[in-house]
Amino acid sequence: MNINKKENIAAYIFLAPALILLGLFLVYPSLLAIYYSFTDYYLLTPNDINFVWLENFIAIFKDPIFIQSLKNIALFVVLVIPIQVGAALGLALLINKQRKGNIFFKVAYFSPVVLSLVVISVLWLYLLNPSEGLINNILVNVGIDPQPFLSSPTQAMVTIVFVSAWQGAGYQMLIFLAGLQNIPGEVYEAGKIDGVNKWQKFYYITLPLLKPTSILIMITTLISAFKLIIQPMVMTQGGPMNATMTPVYYIYQSGFSDRMIGYASAMTVIFGIIIGIVAIIQSRVSREDDN
């Protein structure tokens, strides 16, 4: 047996555990979801499964709640990415400068990331309480009327956007901070010699050199945004008037609360295709920008 063949066998042996886990927890469930999407599988009658072919998919596109959930998640993605990424970059720029207390601020900004999303959601429920919440008490003290926040169809999703951005910005902050610290100091020195001001230094030096880091953060934030479920589940239960219902939460409700596994599987397939299309578009746009 030659050396290359031995190396290939050893490589497959090391890869085997990861491939087995990938098959069990990703590939196999995905194939089951595709299979069940063409059936009328009801969780309480697992032995009575019939093929309905495209009936689930036709019903989904006529389902106003699913259509509303797609609109909600599109709004969430459009709002949360610039807010969260912008906040993360701003925080990274603040603590990138050498000053006393930087370690404290790093820990403070990052601490929401390590907390459970359920805990975060419950905390903000108390802060945003319409009658006794801290936020409304502050607004009243400065002469602004109390706001309904989570009980308003127009404010609920925007409120969840800000809560999500507040919770996740600390993680992206650390990635931006690593990118900032990898920028050679000689580049800034050259800019200083050329007479650039602070704004020009940020726009013409910092931002272009942070582009690879920014693309990574945009992709991870996009993926996290599409998985939104905990905040609406805990804070609004998808309301009011389905204003915060998301596809993942609706899939969960249909599959586990309503026990319609076939219908939920069909929604999973459609939503997976949508995410795949968005990922392909983003990949191509990033590649064109690099060129």
mmCIF file of all heavy atoms in Angstrom, residues 218-258:
data_model
loop_
_atom_site.group_PDB
_atom_site.id
_atom_site.type_symbol
_atom_site.label_atom_id
_atom_site.label_comp_id
_atom_site.label_asym_id
_atom_site.label_seq_id
_atom_site.Cartn_x
_atom_site.Cartn_y
_atom_site.Cartn_z
ATOM 1 N N MET A 218 -21.584 40.297 7.996
ATOM 2 C CA MET A 218 -22.872 40.411 7.303
ATOM 3 C C MET A 218 -23.489 39.038 7.081
ATOM 4 O O MET A 218 -24.694 38.838 7.277
ATOM 5 C CB MET A 218 -22.663 41.116 5.959
ATOM 6 C CG MET A 218 -22.237 42.566 6.063
ATOM 7 S SD MET A 218 -23.604 43.690 6.368
ATOM 8 C CE MET A 218 -24.362 43.732 4.762
ATOM 9 N N ILE A 219 -22.667 38.058 6.691
ATOM 10 C CA ILE A 219 -23.182 36.717 6.425
ATOM 11 C C ILE A 219 -23.691 36.074 7.711
ATOM 12 O O ILE A 219 -24.788 35.499 7.744
ATOM 13 C CB ILE A 219 -22.094 35.843 5.760
ATOM 14 C CG1 ILE A 219 -21.788 36.367 4.353
ATOM 15 C CG2 ILE A 219 -22.530 34.383 5.696
ATOM 16 C CD1 ILE A 219 -20.607 35.695 3.691
ATOM 17 N N THR A 220 -22.898 36.150 8.794
ATOM 18 C CA THR A 220 -23.315 35.533 10.058
ATOM 19 C C THR A 220 -24.558 36.215 10.629
ATOM 20 O O THR A 220 -25.436 35.545 11.179
ATOM 21 C CB THR A 220 -22.174 35.591 11.084
ATOM 22 O OG1 THR A 220 -21.744 36.958 11.263
ATOM 23 C CG2 THR A 220 -20.984 34.764 10.627
ATOM 24 N N THR A 221 -24.641 37.533 10.481
ATOM 25 C CA THR A 221 -25.823 38.250 10.970
ATOM 26 C C THR A 221 -27.061 37.881 10.159
ATOM 27 O O THR A 221 -28.161 37.725 10.712
ATOM 28 C CB THR A 221 -25.594 39.768 10.914
ATOM 29 O OG1 THR A 221 -24.383 40.099 11.589
ATOM 30 C CG2 THR A 221 -26.738 40.516 11.562
ATOM 31 N N LEU A 222 -26.891 37.726 8.848
ATOM 32 C CA LEU A 222 -28.013 37.340 7.984
ATOM 33 C C LEU A 222 -28.547 35.968 8.377
ATOM 34 O O LEU A 222 -29.762 35.763 8.493
ATOM 35 C CB LEU A 222 -27.556 37.340 6.524
ATOM 36 C CG LEU A 222 -28.607 36.939 5.479
ATOM 37 C CD1 LEU A 222 -29.676 38.004 5.376
ATOM 38 C CD2 LEU A 222 -27.962 36.695 4.126
ATOM 39 N N ILE A 223 -27.627 35.014 8.599
ATOM 40 C CA ILE A 223 -28.046 33.663 8.981
ATOM 41 C C ILE A 223 -28.791 33.697 10.319
ATOM 42 O O ILE A 223 -29.841 33.061 10.485
ATOM 43 C CB ILE A 223 -26.822 32.735 9.055
ATOM 44 C CG1 ILE A 223 -26.218 32.553 7.661
ATOM 45 C CG2 ILE A 223 -27.200 31.381 9.656
ATOM 46 C CD1 ILE A 223 -24.888 31.833 7.651
ATOM 47 N N SER A 224 -28.249 34.429 11.277
ATOM 48 C CA SER A 224 -28.898 34.518 12.589
ATOM 49 C C SER A 224 -30.271 35.179 12.488
ATOM 50 O O SER A 224 -31.211 34.782 13.184
ATOM 51 C CB SER A 224 -28.020 35.316 13.556
ATOM 52 O OG SER A 224 -26.771 34.691 13.740
ATOM 53 N N ALA A 225 -30.388 36.190 11.623
ATOM 54 C CA ALA A 225 -31.657 36.909 11.492
ATOM 55 C C ALA A 225 -32.760 36.000 10.966
ATOM 56 O O ALA A 225 -33.901 36.056 11.434
ATOM 57 C CB ALA A 225 -31.477 38.119 10.576
ATOM 58 N N PHE A 226 -32.447 35.145 10.004
ATOM 59 C CA PHE A 226 -33.463 34.254 9.445
ATOM 60 C C PHE A 226 -33.936 33.218 10.462
ATOM 61 O O PHE A 226 -35.026 32.660 10.306
ATOM 62 C CB PHE A 226 -32.922 33.546 8.197
ATOM 63 C CG PHE A 226 -33.079 34.346 6.935
ATOM 64 C CD1 PHE A 226 -31.979 34.828 6.257
ATOM 65 C CD2 PHE A 226 -34.336 34.617 6.428
ATOM 66 C CE1 PHE A 226 -32.127 35.569 5.099
ATOM 67 C CE2 PHE A 226 -34.502 35.357 5.268
ATOM 68 C CZ PHE A 226 -33.389 35.833 4.596
ATOM 69 N N LYS A 227 -33.137 32.953 11.489
ATOM 70 C CA LYS A 227 -33.510 31.948 12.498
ATOM 71 C C LYS A 227 -34.301 32.549 13.656
ATOM 72 O O LYS A 227 -34.493 31.880 14.678
ATOM 73 C CB LYS A 227 -32.251 31.267 13.039
ATOM 74 C CG LYS A 227 -31.483 30.473 11.989
ATOM 75 C CD LYS A 227 -30.376 29.653 12.615
ATOM 76 C CE LYS A 227 -29.330 30.516 13.251
ATOM 77 N NZ LYS A 227 -28.217 29.728 13.828
ATOM 78 N N LEU A 228 -34.758 33.771 13.529
ATOM 79 C CA LEU A 228 -35.458 34.451 14.620
ATOM 80 C C LEU A 228 -36.674 33.644 15.089
ATOM 81 O O LEU A 228 -37.571 33.339 14.316
ATOM 82 C CB LEU A 228 -35.921 35.838 14.145
ATOM 83 C CG LEU A 228 -36.717 36.663 15.158
ATOM 84 C CD1 LEU A 228 -35.820 37.110 16.301
ATOM 85 C CD2 LEU A 228 -37.348 37.871 14.469
ATOM 86 N N ILE A 229 -36.695 33.314 16.383
ATOM 87 C CA ILE A 229 -37.834 32.603 16.959
ATOM 88 C C ILE A 229 -38.006 32.905 18.445
ATOM 89 O O ILE A 229 -39.127 33.116 18.903
ATOM 90 C CB ILE A 229 -37.714 31.069 16.746
ATOM 91 C CG1 ILE A 229 -38.924 30.360 17.368
ATOM 92 C CG2 ILE A 229 -36.403 30.529 17.295
ATOM 93 C CD1 ILE A 229 -38.989 28.882 17.077
ATOM 94 N N ILE A 230 -36.916 32.949 19.218
ATOM 95 C CA ILE A 230 -37.028 33.051 20.673
ATOM 96 C C ILE A 230 -37.676 34.370 21.086
ATOM 97 O O ILE A 230 -38.603 34.389 21.920
ATOM 98 C CB ILE A 230 -35.652 32.917 21.350
ATOM 99 C CG1 ILE A 230 -35.037 31.566 21.004
ATOM 100 C CG2 ILE A 230 -35.776 33.084 22.859
ATOM 101 C CD1 ILE A 230 -35.813 30.392 21.515
ATOM 102 N N GLN A 231 -37.207 35.490 20.526
ATOM 103 C CA GLN A 231 -37.734 36.792 20.944
ATOM 104 C C GLN A 231 -39.228 36.922 20.697
ATOM 105 O O GLN A 231 -39.976 37.290 21.614
ATOM 106 C CB GLN A 231 -36.959 37.931 20.243
ATOM 107 C CG GLN A 231 -35.489 37.995 20.605
ATOM 108 C CD GLN A 231 -34.620 37.215 19.634
ATOM 109 O OE1 GLN A 231 -34.927 36.079 19.302
ATOM 110 N NE2 GLN A 231 -33.527 37.823 19.188
ATOM 111 N N PRO A 232 -39.743 36.627 19.481
ATOM 112 C CA PRO A 232 -41.200 36.707 19.310
ATOM 113 C C PRO A 232 -41.960 35.676 20.132
ATOM 114 O O PRO A 232 -43.073 35.945 20.601
ATOM 115 C CB PRO A 232 -41.410 36.474 17.807
ATOM 116 C CG PRO A 232 -40.104 36.185 17.223
ATOM 117 C CD PRO A 232 -39.039 36.407 18.210
ATOM 118 N N MET A 233 -41.366 34.500 20.329
ATOM 119 C CA MET A 233 -42.049 33.460 21.102
ATOM 120 C C MET A 233 -42.259 33.904 22.549
ATOM 121 O O MET A 233 -43.340 33.718 23.120
ATOM 122 C CB MET A 233 -41.231 32.159 21.075
ATOM 123 C CG MET A 233 -41.868 31.014 21.848
ATOM 124 S SD MET A 233 -40.802 29.553 21.918
ATOM 125 C CE MET A 233 -40.838 29.033 20.214
ATOM 126 N N VAL A 234 -41.231 34.502 23.147
ATOM 127 C CA VAL A 234 -41.301 34.885 24.557
ATOM 128 C C VAL A 234 -41.988 36.232 24.733
ATOM 129 O O VAL A 234 -42.800 36.417 25.646
ATOM 130 C CB VAL A 234 -39.885 34.926 25.170
ATOM 131 C CG1 VAL A 234 -39.928 35.428 26.625
ATOM 132 C CG2 VAL A 234 -39.248 33.539 25.115
ATOM 133 N N MET A 235 -41.694 37.186 23.855
ATOM 134 C CA MET A 235 -42.118 38.562 24.078
ATOM 135 C C MET A 235 -43.510 38.868 23.537
ATOM 136 O O MET A 235 -44.233 39.694 24.107
ATOM 137 C CB MET A 235 -41.101 39.523 23.463
ATOM 138 C CG MET A 235 -39.689 39.369 24.032
ATOM 139 S SD MET A 235 -38.456 40.427 23.228
ATOM 140 C CE MET A 235 -38.872 42.019 23.916
ATOM 141 N N THR A 236 -43.897 38.251 22.424
ATOM 142 C CA THR A 236 -45.170 38.632 21.797
ATOM 143 C C THR A 236 -46.031 37.445 21.380
ATOM 144 O O THR A 236 -47.171 37.644 20.975
ATOM 145 C CB THR A 236 -44.914 39.486 20.541
ATOM 146 O OG1 THR A 236 -44.162 38.702 19.600
ATOM 147 C CG2 THR A 236 -44.148 40.754 20.880
ATOM 148 N N GLN A 237 -45.500 36.227 21.431
ATOM 149 C CA GLN A 237 -46.198 35.037 20.931
ATOM 150 C C GLN A 237 -46.648 35.222 19.478
ATOM 151 O O GLN A 237 -47.697 34.732 19.061
ATOM 152 C CB GLN A 237 -47.415 34.674 21.810
ATOM 153 C CG GLN A 237 -47.043 34.210 23.212
ATOM 154 C CD GLN A 237 -46.661 35.368 24.118
ATOM 155 O OE1 GLN A 237 -47.397 36.352 24.235
ATOM 156 N NE2 GLN A 237 -45.521 35.273 24.774
ATOM 157 N N GLY A 238 -45.849 35.938 18.715
ATOM 158 C CA GLY A 238 -46.153 36.157 17.303
ATOM 159 C C GLY A 238 -47.090 37.313 17.028
ATOM 160 O O GLY A 238 -47.302 37.683 15.875
ATOM 161 N N GLY A 239 -47.668 37.902 18.046
ATOM 162 C CA GLY A 239 -48.612 39.012 17.878
ATOM 163 C C GLY A 239 -47.921 40.340 18.021
ATOM 164 O O GLY A 239 -46.695 40.396 18.049
ATOM 165 N N PRO A 240 -48.673 41.401 18.120
ATOM 166 C CA PRO A 240 -50.137 41.447 17.938
ATOM 167 C C PRO A 240 -50.522 41.385 16.466
ATOM 168 O O PRO A 240 -49.821 41.941 15.619
ATOM 169 C CB PRO A 240 -50.501 42.811 18.548
ATOM 170 C CG PRO A 240 -49.266 43.638 18.383
ATOM 171 C CD PRO A 240 -48.104 42.710 18.486
ATOM 172 N N MET A 241 -51.598 40.678 16.184
ATOM 173 C CA MET A 241 -52.112 40.521 14.818
ATOM 174 C C MET A 241 -51.054 39.940 13.891
ATOM 175 O O MET A 241 -50.908 40.362 12.740
ATOM 176 C CB MET A 241 -52.615 41.878 14.287
ATOM 177 C CG MET A 241 -53.761 42.474 15.085
ATOM 178 S SD MET A 241 -54.183 44.149 14.577
ATOM 179 C CE MET A 241 -54.654 43.876 12.869
ATOM 180 N N ASN A 242 -50.283 38.973 14.400
ATOM 181 C CA ASN A 242 -49.233 38.282 13.637
ATOM 182 C C ASN A 242 -48.136 39.224 13.140
ATOM 183 O O ASN A 242 -47.406 38.896 12.207
ATOM 184 C CB ASN A 242 -49.826 37.528 12.438
ATOM 185 C CG ASN A 242 -50.736 36.402 12.861
ATOM 186 O OD1 ASN A 242 -50.418 35.651 13.783
ATOM 187 N ND2 ASN A 242 -51.886 36.291 12.212
ATOM 188 N N ALA A 243 -48.003 40.371 13.789
ATOM 189 C CA ALA A 243 -47.011 41.362 13.343
ATOM 190 C C ALA A 243 -45.579 40.909 13.603
ATOM 191 O O ALA A 243 -44.650 41.433 12.985
ATOM 192 C CB ALA A 243 -47.263 42.702 14.033
ATOM 193 N N THR A 244 -45.386 39.957 14.520
ATOM 194 C CA THR A 244 -44.033 39.462 14.803
ATOM 195 C C THR A 244 -43.916 37.965 14.545
ATOM 196 O O THR A 244 -42.960 37.333 14.989
ATOM 197 C CB THR A 244 -43.643 39.759 16.269
ATOM 198 O OG1 THR A 244 -44.606 39.154 17.138
ATOM 199 C CG2 THR A 244 -43.595 41.250 16.522
ATOM 200 N N MET A 245 -44.896 37.396 13.849
ATOM 201 C CA MET A 245 -44.807 35.980 13.482
ATOM 202 C C MET A 245 -43.682 35.802 12.452
ATOM 203 O O MET A 245 -43.598 36.541 11.468
ATOM 204 C CB MET A 245 -46.124 35.494 12.896
ATOM 205 C CG MET A 245 -46.123 34.035 12.479
ATOM 206 S SD MET A 245 -45.920 32.915 13.870
ATOM 207 C CE MET A 245 -47.514 33.114 14.685
ATOM 208 N N THR A 246 -42.794 34.847 12.690
ATOM 209 C CA THR A 246 -41.698 34.565 11.759
ATOM 210 C C THR A 246 -41.876 33.167 11.187
ATOM 211 O O THR A 246 -42.574 32.324 11.776
ATOM 212 C CB THR A 246 -40.339 34.660 12.466
ATOM 213 O OG1 THR A 246 -40.259 33.626 13.467
ATOM 214 C CG2 THR A 246 -40.160 36.020 13.113
ATOM 215 N N PRO A 247 -41.251 32.876 10.046
ATOM 216 C CA PRO A 247 -41.412 31.539 9.449
ATOM 217 C C PRO A 247 -40.997 30.404 10.384
ATOM 218 O O PRO A 247 -41.684 29.385 10.474
ATOM 219 C CB PRO A 247 -40.514 31.601 8.209
ATOM 220 C CG PRO A 247 -40.488 33.044 7.836
ATOM 221 C CD PRO A 247 -40.514 33.782 9.136
ATOM 222 N N VAL A 248 -39.872 30.566 11.086
ATOM 223 C CA VAL A 248 -39.414 29.497 11.983
ATOM 224 C C VAL A 248 -40.412 29.288 13.116
ATOM 225 O O VAL A 248 -40.703 28.148 13.500
ATOM 226 C CB VAL A 248 -38.011 29.826 12.529
ATOM 227 C CG1 VAL A 248 -37.556 28.756 13.518
ATOM 228 C CG2 VAL A 248 -37.011 29.939 11.392
ATOM 229 N N TYR A 249 -40.934 30.376 13.659
ATOM 230 C CA TYR A 249 -41.917 30.261 14.741
ATOM 231 C C TYR A 249 -43.215 29.635 14.231
ATOM 232 O O TYR A 249 -43.829 28.798 14.909
ATOM 233 C CB TYR A 249 -42.174 31.642 15.344
ATOM 234 C CG TYR A 249 -43.040 31.643 16.585
ATOM 235 C CD1 TYR A 249 -43.108 30.532 17.416
ATOM 236 C CD2 TYR A 249 -43.795 32.763 16.930
ATOM 237 C CE1 TYR A 249 -43.900 30.538 18.560
ATOM 238 C CE2 TYR A 249 -44.589 32.774 18.071
ATOM 239 C CZ TYR A 249 -44.642 31.649 18.872
ATOM 240 O OH TYR A 249 -45.428 31.651 20.005
ATOM 241 N N TYR A 250 -43.634 29.995 13.037
ATOM 242 C CA TYR A 250 -44.862 29.428 12.465
ATOM 243 C C TYR A 250 -44.676 27.942 12.155
ATOM 244 O O TYR A 250 -45.598 27.132 12.349
ATOM 245 C CB TYR A 250 -45.257 30.200 11.212
ATOM 246 C CG TYR A 250 -46.644 29.875 10.699
ATOM 247 C CD1 TYR A 250 -47.713 29.727 11.576
ATOM 248 C CD2 TYR A 250 -46.875 29.710 9.344
ATOM 249 C CE1 TYR A 250 -48.984 29.430 11.117
ATOM 250 C CE2 TYR A 250 -48.147 29.416 8.865
ATOM 251 C CZ TYR A 250 -49.194 29.268 9.757
ATOM 252 O OH TYR A 250 -50.457 28.971 9.294
ATOM 253 N N ILE A 251 -43.488 27.582 11.681
ATOM 254 C CA ILE A 251 -43.185 26.164 11.452
ATOM 255 C C ILE A 251 -43.254 25.394 12.765
ATOM 256 O O ILE A 251 -43.804 24.294 12.844
ATOM 257 C CB ILE A 251 -41.802 26.008 10.794
ATOM 258 C CG1 ILE A 251 -41.846 26.522 9.352
ATOM 259 C CG2 ILE A 251 -41.327 24.560 10.827
ATOM 260 C CD1 ILE A 251 -40.488 26.670 8.705
ATOM 261 N N TYR A 252 -42.698 25.986 13.825
ATOM 262 C CA TYR A 252 -42.741 25.349 15.145
ATOM 263 C C TYR A 252 -44.186 25.173 15.618
ATOM 264 O O TYR A 252 -44.571 24.101 16.104
ATOM 265 C CB TYR A 252 -41.954 26.194 16.144
ATOM 266 C CG TYR A 252 -42.192 25.821 17.586
ATOM 267 C CD1 TYR A 252 -41.541 24.741 18.163
ATOM 268 C CD2 TYR A 252 -43.101 26.550 18.368
ATOM 269 C CE1 TYR A 252 -41.779 24.387 19.480
ATOM 270 C CE2 TYR A 252 -43.340 26.205 19.692
ATOM 271 C CZ TYR A 252 -42.681 25.117 20.243
ATOM 272 O OH TYR A 252 -42.922 24.774 21.538
ATOM 273 N N GLN A 253 -44.989 26.221 15.466
ATOM 274 C CA GLN A 253 -46.390 26.138 15.896
ATOM 275 C C GLN A 253 -47.157 25.073 15.111
ATOM 276 O O GLN A 253 -47.905 24.280 15.684
ATOM 277 C CB GLN A 253 -47.070 27.489 15.730
ATOM 278 C CG GLN A 253 -46.774 28.493 16.826
ATOM 279 C CD GLN A 253 -47.697 29.702 16.750
ATOM 280 O OE1 GLN A 253 -48.279 29.994 15.711
ATOM 281 N NE2 GLN A 253 -47.837 30.411 17.855
ATOM 282 N N SER A 254 -46.936 25.052 13.795
ATOM 283 C CA SER A 254 -47.665 24.097 12.955
ATOM 284 C C SER A 254 -47.239 22.662 13.248
ATOM 285 O O SER A 254 -48.069 21.751 13.266
ATOM 286 C CB SER A 254 -47.435 24.415 11.472
ATOM 287 O OG SER A 254 -47.899 25.713 11.154
ATOM 288 N N GLY A 255 -45.937 22.469 13.486
ATOM 289 C CA GLY A 255 -45.438 21.115 13.681
ATOM 290 C C GLY A 255 -45.661 20.559 15.076
ATOM 291 O O GLY A 255 -45.979 19.380 15.229
ATOM 292 N N PHE A 256 -45.490 21.394 16.112
ATOM 293 C CA PHE A 256 -45.527 20.890 17.478
ATOM 294 C C PHE A 256 -46.798 21.294 18.230
ATOM 295 O O PHE A 256 -47.270 20.529 19.069
ATOM 296 C CB PHE A 256 -44.286 21.361 18.246
ATOM 297 C CG PHE A 256 -43.012 20.766 17.710
ATOM 298 C CD1 PHE A 256 -42.234 21.462 16.803
ATOM 299 C CD2 PHE A 256 -42.608 19.506 18.095
ATOM 300 C CE1 PHE A 256 -41.069 20.915 16.301
ATOM 301 C CE2 PHE A 256 -41.435 18.946 17.600
ATOM 302 C CZ PHE A 256 -40.665 19.647 16.696
ATOM 303 N N SER A 257 -47.318 22.483 17.973
ATOM 304 C CA SER A 257 -48.561 22.879 18.641
ATOM 305 C C SER A 257 -49.775 22.307 17.918
ATOM 306 O O SER A 257 -50.664 21.712 18.534
ATOM 307 C CB SER A 257 -48.668 24.402 18.707
ATOM 308 O OG SER A 257 -47.590 24.941 19.461
ATOM 309 N N ASP A 258 -49.806 22.476 16.586
ATOM 310 C CA ASP A 258 -50.922 21.960 15.795
ATOM 311 C C ASP A 258 -50.694 20.518 15.332
ATOM 312 O O ASP A 258 -51.617 19.907 14.789
ATOM 313 C CB ASP A 258 -51.168 22.851 14.574
ATOM 314 C CG ASP A 258 -51.485 24.285 14.969
ATOM 315 O OD1 ASP A 258 -51.982 24.483 16.096
ATOM 316 O OD2 ASP A 258 -51.221 25.195 14.162
#
